[in-house]
Amino acid sequence: MAGTDQPSPWWSTSRHADRKPFLMARAAITKAVRAWFDEQGFAEVETGILQVSPGNETHLHAPRTELIRSDGSRATRYLRTSPEFAAKKLLAAGENKIFEFARVFRDRERGDLHLPEFTMLEWYRANTGYDAIMADTIVVIAHAAQATGIGKFSFRGKTADPFAEPELLTVAVAFQQFAGIDLLATIADGEGDRAALAAAAGARVRIADDDTWSDIFSKVLVEHVEPHLGQGRLTVLFEYPAPEAALARAKSSDPRVAERFEVYACGVELANGFGELTDAAEQRRRFASAMDEKARRYGERYPLDEEFLDAVAAMPEASGVALGFDRLVMLAGGALRVDQVVWTPPAGET
């Protein structure tokens, strides 16, 4: 009967066979990366998925659940958006070099580069500057490419050599080069001047009346900067503006920027790293501000993890990075979408 044909399920023999080369690439990359971390003296950790707070950034959204305790009482918990809070508690406890292949969860995300459940490779070094974590990231990406034997990454008509010397580009230089905007002139005392950035960016992006400084920054970044990154080779975009610091510390020589970097290949963001903030009062202020903005935009807010804030005050100087492992496998395995490189695609969506 016409119109009754249904696609075979992802676990059918034929569809699994189509995905098998990508899954074998995933297995090879996982093995190679684990071996590298072992050689470097890192401890592999497994941290809890259920958290009191899933993260306190404005635009991150987490699935929510409820625990029923043995006495019948109930407690709200969230599926983590990152293992960061738990990892930093381990740093405060005395761990020095840790990594995790962490299953993480995010609502409102689905597409060729996004899944609601995915693997984040995250690692931390105590008593180490974030330049060392940057270098780690480039090495890990190269190991992934080496594990599959791929000579270059390709995605949507763009290519990048994972073995070439990466491009190092500050966010300020990128904004000037690709959008003609003096970004740092719109920042004072760690805060963004919305009117100044709107005036500078008005000819480049559409600005809504309720757009904040961060909204305008993101529009310029996505529309005019990111398409130029990671072309021919990897790009390390660093020294993010202070209003976009999240959990990163300010650069001591220029408080207008933070010790934050991202790594791109073929215009795809692969990793986001920080020189970690260890000022608990400042972290609390940032979280409270982000949750106020979340409440204004989305009508919800996540609680603060007081145990995490205590750990921030107790942890040593450290640096860390979160790398989208599925995206890395996609590029190193030659896939077109991240759902091709996961062993089991999102439930109920295939």
Side-chain angles (χ1 to χ4, degrees):
M1 182 182 296
T4 60
D5 290 344
Q6 295 292 327
S8 56
W10 66 263
W11 43 264
S12 66
T13 303
S14 59
R15 288 188 65 188
H16 186 68
D18 290 340
R19 298 171 58 244
K20 192 65 177 287
F22 304 132
L23 300 177
M24 293 301 95
R26 185 186 188 98
I29 294 168
T30 302
K31 182 178 180 180
V33 169
R34 273 202 168 101
W36 182 81
F37 278 112
D38 185 57
E39 291 168 2
Q40 299 299 310
F42 281 78
E44 182 170 6
V45 300
E46 293 179 297
T47 60
I49 289 174
L50 291 176
Q51 297 291 318
V52 169
S53 174
N56 297 103
E57 296 181 47
T58 301
H59 301 292
L60 285 183
H61 303 275
R64 174 177 173 170
T65 189
E66 189 174 59
L67 293 180
I68 302 177
R69 299 189 178 99
S70 59
D71 63 0
S73 63
R74 297 172 182 267
T76 297
R77 292 292 183 267
Y78 299 87
L79 303 187
R80 64 185 178 183
T81 59
S82 163
E84 183 167 6
F85 284 11
K88 289 182 177 177
K89 292 172 186 177
L90 289 175
L91 292 176
E95 295 295 335
N96 290 310
K97 296 161 71 174
I98 56 176
F99 78 101
E100 180 174 8
F101 284 94
R103 298 298 288 176
V104 298
F105 306 83
R106 296 187 181 182
D107 278 343
R108 307 187 187 220
E109 295 196 8
R110 185 67 171 96
D112 289 351
L113 292 173
H114 297 88
L115 295 173
E117 176 182 356
F118 60 100
T119 298
M120 183 176 285
L121 172 59
E122 195 155 315
W123 69 95
Y124 293 84
R125 288 180 180 267
N127 304 304
T128 305
Y130 88 134
D131 55 339
I133 288 287
M134 277 189 207
D136 284 348
T137 306
I138 301 304
V139 171
V140 166
I141 293 170
H143 272 63
Q146 193 171 41
T148 63
I150 201 166
K152 64 181 179 181
F153 294 158
S154 299
F155 187 72
R156 295 179 180 172
K158 299 174 182 177
T159 63
D161 181 350
F163 304 107
E165 188 74 18
E167 174 187 33
L168 302 178
L169 192 64
T170 67
V171 176
V173 168
F175 267 60
Q176 187 66 62
Q177 182 175 337
F178 301 124
I181 294 173
D182 183 353
L183 184 65
L184 298 187
T186 73
I187 302 170
D189 299 323
E191 300 293 334
D193 183 332
R194 192 265 184 200
L197 185 55
R204 307 293 288 165
V205 295
R206 183 179 179 186
I207 299 174
D209 291 342
D210 64 345
D211 278 346
T212 64
W213 185 96
S214 289
D215 293 330
I216 302 169
F217 169 84
S218 295
K219 288 180 178 181
V220 175
L221 180 69
V222 170
E223 295 178 28
H224 296 285
V225 176
E226 287 186 337
H228 299 280
L229 305 180
Q231 298 215 41
R233 55 180 174 161
L234 303 178
T235 296
V236 179
L237 189 68
F238 67 107
E239 292 187 1
Y240 268 67
E244 296 296 304
L247 291 90
R249 59 178 172 248
K251 185 179 178 182
S252 58
S253 60
D254 187 351
R256 295 176 299 176
V257 298
E259 292 187 359
R260 177 184 174 188
F261 71 92
E262 294 192 339
V263 179
Y264 288 81
C266 306
V268 176
E269 178 204 334
L270 286 177
N272 181 24
F274 302 145
E276 304 295 348
L277 182 66
T278 55
D279 181 335
E282 172 61 14
Q283 189 68 82
R284 181 184 294 277
R285 184 195 69 79
R286 292 184 192 179
F287 280 172
S289 176
M291 290 302 92
D292 287 345
E293 180 63 11
K294 190 179 194 72
R296 183 184 76 84
R297 286 176 177 269
Y298 304 109
E300 66 173 342
R301 63 196 309 139
Y302 297 145
L304 303 188
D305 183 340
E306 294 295 339
E307 190 177 73
F308 168 72
L309 290 169
D310 289 343
V312 167
M315 64 184 273
E317 295 294 313
S319 296
V321 63
L323 184 148
F325 190 67
D326 304 323
R327 291 185 181 184
L328 178 60
V329 173
M330 180 191 75
L331 292 178
L336 300 176
R337 308 183 312 274
V338 290
D339 60 7
Q340 293 176 298
V341 305
V342 296
W343 283 95
T344 59
E349 296 188 28
T350 58

